Amino acid sequence: MSAVTARRSFVHPIDDLDSTSSSATNSIAVSPEDTPRQSPSTTSLSSLDSSSELKLENVNGKLVDTYGNDFQLPDFTIKQIRDAIPSHCFQRSGVKGLGYVARDIASLATTFYLFHNYITPENIPSTPVRAVLWAGYTFVQGLFGTGLWVLAHECGHQSFSPSKILNDTVGWFCHSALLVPYFSWKISHGKHHKATGHLERDMVFVPKTREEYASRLGYYAHELSELMEETPIVTASTMIGQQLVGWLWYLSGNVTGHNHHERQSEGRGKGKRNGLGGGVNHFDPSSPLYEAKDGKLILLSDLGLAFTAMILFLVGRNFGWANLAVWYFLPYLWVNHWLVAITFLQHTDPSLPHYEPHSWNFARGAAATIDREFGFIGRRLFHGIIETHVLHHYVSTIPFYNADEATEAIKPVMGQHYRSDVEGGPIGFLKSMWRSARMCQWIEPCEGTEGENKGVLFFRNRNGLGIPPQKMAPQ
């Protein structure tokens, strides 16, 4: 098995499973050197001799991921990553970026034109057949809409073109059309990139600790190892809810983001918690996700949403609400589904660690991501956001059309720390959603670890899959 793939040597079989703010310092196009603490060594981990590794392991304990594979802390530097990437990979073209935007908008418009003019009662008298075809329309438009979403994401990272004005203008229009608060998301997403894998600062899919997971179920942490398996229907129901409303819940209540808002530097987080009505969202300029200087950008994001909402209202009033639901809102739900699925699988995998503050640094956090494969849809319609995510977390200003080459360039530097799961292609991508949902229920330290290693947490579960949770004494 190659060192660059997420290995699946299970202890138990799984046959039944499966900102930008207005200032440059808060820009999503953050320099990777802006890490609070650099990696402790400038040497590749592969250059450490076995006696050194054994000594470190004996001191701090052994790290083991959910599959049962040994884990070593990454020790390469951001400079090594950047130096390995050919200089032309950093070049951005506004003309090329606009060309992709035009392509995606043309795809959306052409699909609508064809269905609106030809999938009609006059041409197809059978109502069931028309219903099936229009269902296909919502799926296809969801794919094209997700592609446009990804291009606006490129704008937020300033990888769309060298012009910040062009980037933010295109990003604002494209995201607003998809009911995404562009600048509001851009700022919080930039903070996610600055703190990926950090349990107290990350903004996306921060997993529950053992204590949090147990409390949610009404148990103590030591009781989790004795609980019965979660039934597949419960897992499926949770996944369906996540895919349907997860994105809206995130925007409205910061669900899956960190919940340490009392530390907000301006005091905005006092008394505020994640969840609907908790005061933490992407629409309120006073939200602790932002600083006071970001207020105008948050309002500008809200203005974009209001403008789109007004257009949708006029369309619904003049052409019918049922038509609006099929033309726009069902494809919109597909876009949300793909967005949540992509993000979930980029940061949730049995091979990935998460870090407590004393064990985290930027290089380690950025390595706590995984590339996957989604075939033609992923590489062509979704602009490679699934296949090159690891590279994206190290240098987010590289445009997507150069990301494959840059990814290949950093693999030798990352060595065993580069993770990918490409087995099965698109089908494997979909299967991995179920596998991660079943195996990645909470995180906890590895048994017997101390010091720095105790701050490296891996997923565990109560479904008998992979490394079992620790046995804990009642406290």
Side-chain angles (χ1 to χ4, degrees):
M1 178 67 69
S2 170
V4 300
T5 58
R7 294 163 291 170
R8 301 182 191 169
S9 52
F10 298 96
V11 172
H12 298 291
I14 62 164
D15 297 335
D16 60 332
L17 307 159
D18 177 5
S19 59
T20 178
S21 74
S22 52
S23 70
T25 57
N26 282 331
S27 171
I28 214 171
V30 61
S31 169
E33 279 93 358
D34 288 343
T35 170
R37 182 160 59 89
Q38 289 290 341
S39 300
S41 170
T42 58
T43 60
S44 169
L45 209 153
S46 60
S47 68
L48 295 176
D49 57 43
S50 58
S51 62
S52 298
E53 293 179 10
L54 182 60
K55 183 178 180 181
L56 289 171
E57 181 179 294
N58 289 338
V59 170
N60 291 324
K62 186 177 181 180
L63 296 173
V64 182
D65 70 17
T66 316
Y67 289 131
N69 299 315
D70 291 348
F71 178 84
Q72 305 287 343
L73 287 170
D75 72 336
F76 49 81
T77 66
I78 302 303
K79 185 177 186 303
Q80 288 175 300
I81 292 287
R82 294 184 70 92
D83 288 349
I85 301 172
S87 59
H88 64 265
C89 289
F90 294 88
Q91 296 176 3
R92 301 162 289 173
S93 169
V95 172
K96 184 175 289 189
L98 289 171
Y100 280 106
V101 170
R103 187 202 74 175
D104 286 353
I105 292 176
S107 298
L108 288 163
T110 300
T111 303
F112 176 78
Y113 175 83
L114 292 174
F115 274 79
H116 181 64
N117 287 281
Y118 297 103
I119 310 302
T120 63
E122 293 76 16
N123 294 321
I124 303 177
S126 172
T127 299
V129 172
R130 287 202 314 278
V132 170
L133 291 174
W134 276 103
Y137 162 90
T138 68
F139 174 77
V140 172
Q141 293 291 70
L143 297 179
F144 293 142
T146 303
L148 192 64
W149 199 106
V150 173
L151 293 178
H153 166 269
E154 291 271 301
C155 292
H157 282 289
Q158 306 303 309
S159 59
F160 185 80
S161 81
S163 169
K164 186 175 185 300
I165 293 176
L166 178 62
N167 293 336
D168 286 341
T169 301
V170 173
W172 183 81
F173 274 103
C174 292
H175 262 176
S176 295
L178 296 167
L179 292 178
V180 177
Y182 172 72
F183 291 104
S184 307
W185 163 85
K186 177 182 174 181
I187 296 168
S188 68
H189 190 67
K191 293 179 179 180
H192 158 61
H193 270 257
K194 286 185 177 182
T196 305
H198 192 298
L199 287 176
E200 296 184 5
R201 292 173 48 214
D202 199 356
M203 301 295 296
V204 173
F205 280 107
V206 178
K208 292 179 176 61
T209 63
R210 180 171 180 149
E211 291 73 19
E212 290 168 340
Y213 182 85
S215 176
R216 190 187 70 165
L217 296 179
Y219 292 93
Y220 293 105
H222 70 271
E223 297 176 306
L224 284 184
S225 59
E226 308 299 331
L227 289 185
M228 296 179 62
E229 171 187 355
E230 179 179 86
T231 61
I233 193 170
V234 171
T235 305
S237 299
T238 302
M239 289 180 62
I240 291 171
Q242 172 182 287
Q243 297 310 119
L244 280 175
V245 300
W247 172 241
L248 297 175
W249 204 359
Y250 173 71
L251 291 179
S252 302
N254 197 46
V255 174
T256 81
H258 79 78
N259 205 15
H260 297 272
H261 306 295
E262 70 280 356
R263 302 175 185 177
Q264 205 272 349
S265 60
E266 298 173 345
R268 291 165 160 245
K270 293 180 180 179
K272 296 183 179 180
R273 304 287 292 173
N274 289 349
L276 298 178
V280 185
N281 60 69
H282 285 72
F283 310 109
D284 185 353
S286 66
S287 170
L289 299 179
Y290 313 113
E291 284 72 49
K293 60 188 175 183
D294 301 322
K296 292 181 180 179
L297 295 176
I298 310 308
L299 292 175
L300 183 57
S301 301
D302 295 343
L303 179 64
L305 299 183
F307 183 70
T308 300
M310 180 184 69
I311 294 176
L312 293 174
F313 173 78
L314 293 175
V315 171
R317 189 176 66 177
N318 288 287
F319 297 96
W321 301 106
N323 283 334
L324 179 63
V326 174
W327 294 345
Y328 182 89
F329 282 109
L330 290 180
Y332 168 77
L333 291 178
W334 276 112
V335 172
N336 291 357
H337 154 73
W338 291 120
L339 171 61
V340 173
I342 291 167
T343 309
F344 173 68
L345 290 179
Q346 286 168 340
H347 299 284
T348 309
D349 187 83
S351 69
L352 297 180
H354 287 77
Y355 297 93
E356 292 184 345
H358 68 277
S359 299
W360 180 90
N361 64 38
F362 183 92
R364 291 175 180 177
T369 56
I370 186 169
D371 288 342
R372 301 186 188 272
E373 177 62 52
F374 205 46
F376 174 82
I377 291 175
R379 292 187 175 276
R380 296 293 178 262
L381 302 187
F382 293 174
H383 306 294
I385 195 172
I386 295 170
E387 292 79 9
T388 59
H389 191 68
V390 175
L391 174 278
H392 175 68
H393 264 275
Y394 281 109
V395 190
S396 60
T397 53
I398 290 180
F400 72 90
Y401 42 81
N402 293 334
D404 280 314
E405 182 180 356
T407 294
E408 293 302 317
I410 69 172
K411 285 181 180 179
V413 177
M414 296 188 68
Q416 64 179 304
H417 303 295
Y418 171 79
R419 281 174 171 71
S420 67
D421 182 3
V422 300
E423 183 179 345
I427 300 301
F429 176 86
L430 297 175
K431 286 183 176 180
S432 64
M433 291 188 65
W434 180 257
R435 180 173 63 250
S436 291
R438 295 289 286 171
M439 294 190 72
C440 303
Q441 293 185 319
W442 72 83
I443 54 171
E444 62 180 54
C446 295
E447 191 166 5
T449 52
E450 299 292 341
E452 187 176 46
N453 282 8
K454 194 169 185 178
V456 184
L457 285 66
F458 285 93
F459 287 106
R460 299 292 185 256
N461 62 81
R462 60 189 176 101
N463 296 325
L465 305 170
I467 292 290
Q470 294 185 47
K471 299 284 186 179
M472 297 177 62
Q475 295 182 355

